[in-house]
């Protein structure tokens, strides 16, 4: 069964550094998403992406964050100048169609900012 | 805005016990409702969904019915197994792309 994959599974970085989290969505899916879950808190929506542009973003997704689909398979989340409070599990998801379709999640990347 | 409230855990049960996890929501319009499950060390997996009022989603012995009159989507399973130990998340999608999640309920099933 096709699945969403994410790398790395765990990333440790120093405060102020840039990180790139990578995701490979399911191959025939057209919509892509990033969510995060700070330890002990709810899973929160960050951004959705379609046709090479952001379709929706939350207030969390400020100028520190950016997303890109650099080729036909990868979908990345870049966090510039990481802060301690960026430590969280980051989940990528994809869906075949948009609003009405089920989102399938990857296993997550645990980001630890020291 | 859209929000989901689910019962707090943790919930500890014996094998073959009945499980129910309450979930209520606030949303404008007619949201779609979901239950996702997260097994230890893994990501979020879709367990079941319902897209309109009175729909019943079911999978792996779990069921949930979309009740518009009570704005609820409670998850039930008649006889749990040790392998059902996981964190369960109720979620909704309103008129946009994002999913809004509840806080999650940790369920532990003991043999």
């Amino acid at each position: 069964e096709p699945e969403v994959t994410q790398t790395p599974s765990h990333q440790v970085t120093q405060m102020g550094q840039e990180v790139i989290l990578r995701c490979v969505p399911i191959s025939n899916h057209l919509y892509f998403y990033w969510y995060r879950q700070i330890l002990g808190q709810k899973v929160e929506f960050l951004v959705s992406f379609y046709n090479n542009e952001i379709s929706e973003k939350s207030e969390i997704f400020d100028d520190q964050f950016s997303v890109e689909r650099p080729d036909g398979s990868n979908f990345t989340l870049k966090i510039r100048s990481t802060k301690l409070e960026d430590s969280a599990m980051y989940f990528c998801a994809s869906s075949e169609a948009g609003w009405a379709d089920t989102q399938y999640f990857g296993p997550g990347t645990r980001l630890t900012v020291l | 805005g859209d929000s989901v409230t689910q019962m707090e855990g943790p919930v500890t049960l014996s094998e073959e016990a009945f499980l129910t996890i309450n979930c209520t929501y606030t949303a404008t319009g007619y949201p779609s409702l979901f239950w996702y499950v997260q097994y230890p060390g893994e990501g979020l997996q879709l367990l079941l969904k319902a897209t309109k009022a009175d729909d019943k989603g079911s999978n792996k012995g779990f069921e949930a019915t979309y009740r518009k009159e009570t704005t609820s989507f409670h998850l039930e399973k008649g006889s749990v197994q040790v392998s059902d130990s996981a964190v369960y998340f109720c979620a909704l999608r309103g008129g946009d792309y994002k999913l809004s999640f509840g806080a999650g309920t940790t369920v532990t099933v003991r043999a």
Side-chain angles (χ1 to χ4, degrees), chain A residues 31 33 35 37 41-43 45 48 55-56 91 98-103 105-107, chain B residues 4 30 34 36 38 42-44 46 49 89 93-99 101-103:
Chain A
Y31 291 78
Y33 314 85
Y35 292 80
Q37 184 182 28
Q41 298 187 23
K42 290 186 177 185
V43 176
F45 170 78
S48 61
S55 46
E56 186 182 358
F91 293 104
W99 179 83
D101 209 24
T102 298
Q103 295 177 24
F105 283 75
Chain B
V4 175
Y30 303 95
F34 305 83
Y36 280 84
Q38 185 177 32
E42 298 185 17
L44 297 167
L46 178 67
K49 67 178 183 180
F89 294 91
R93 188 182 58 232
D96 50 24
Y97 294 102
K98 70 180 185 206
L99 286 167
F101 285 87

Side-chain angles (χ1 to χ4, degrees), chain B residues 10-55:
Chain B
V11 174
T12 302
L13 302 162
S14 297
E15 243 182 342
E16 300 183 4
F18 183 86
L19 170 68
T20 184
I21 304 175
N22 289 339
C23 171
T24 57
Y25 67 90
T26 302
T28 54
Y30 303 95
S32 294
L33 301 173
F34 305 83
W35 278 99
Y36 280 84
V37 59
Q38 185 177 32
Y39 298 104
E42 298 185 17
L44 297 167
Q45 299 177 25
L46 178 67
L47 182 58
L48 53 85
K49 67 178 183 180
T51 57
K52 60 183 189 297
D54 300 325
D55 267 4

Side-chain angles (χ1 to χ4, degrees), chain B residues 75-93:
Chain B
L75 182 69
E76 296 181 337
K77 184 173 185 182
S79 177
V80 293
Q81 305 300 313
V82 172
S83 57
D84 294 324
S85 298
V87 182
Y88 293 82
F89 294 91
C90 186
L92 74 80
R93 188 182 58 232

Side-chain angles (χ1 to χ4, degrees), chain A residues 36-74:
Chain A
R36 79 172 184 190
Q37 184 182 28
I38 296 171
L39 189 64
Q41 298 187 23
K42 290 186 177 185
V43 176
E44 303 172 290
F45 170 78
L46 293 178
V47 66
S48 61
F49 189 86
Y50 169 70
N51 200 26
N52 282 321
E53 59 183 36
I54 290 172
S55 46
E56 186 182 358
K57 62 181 181 179
S58 71
E59 59 255 25
I60 302 168
F61 194 89
D62 58 20
D63 292 343
Q64 182 194 7
F65 295 90
S66 62
V67 289
E68 190 178 31
R69 188 152 163 82
D71 54 44
S73 60
N74 289 283

Side-chain angles (χ1 to χ4, degrees), chain B residues 23-25 29-31 33 52-55 65-74:
Chain B
C23 171
T24 57
Y25 67 90
Y30 303 95
L33 301 173
K52 60 183 189 297
D54 300 325
D55 267 4
T65 301
Y66 187 167
R67 302 283 188 203
K68 194 170 188 309
E69 63 277 11
T70 53
T71 62
S72 65
F73 193 55
H74 305 321

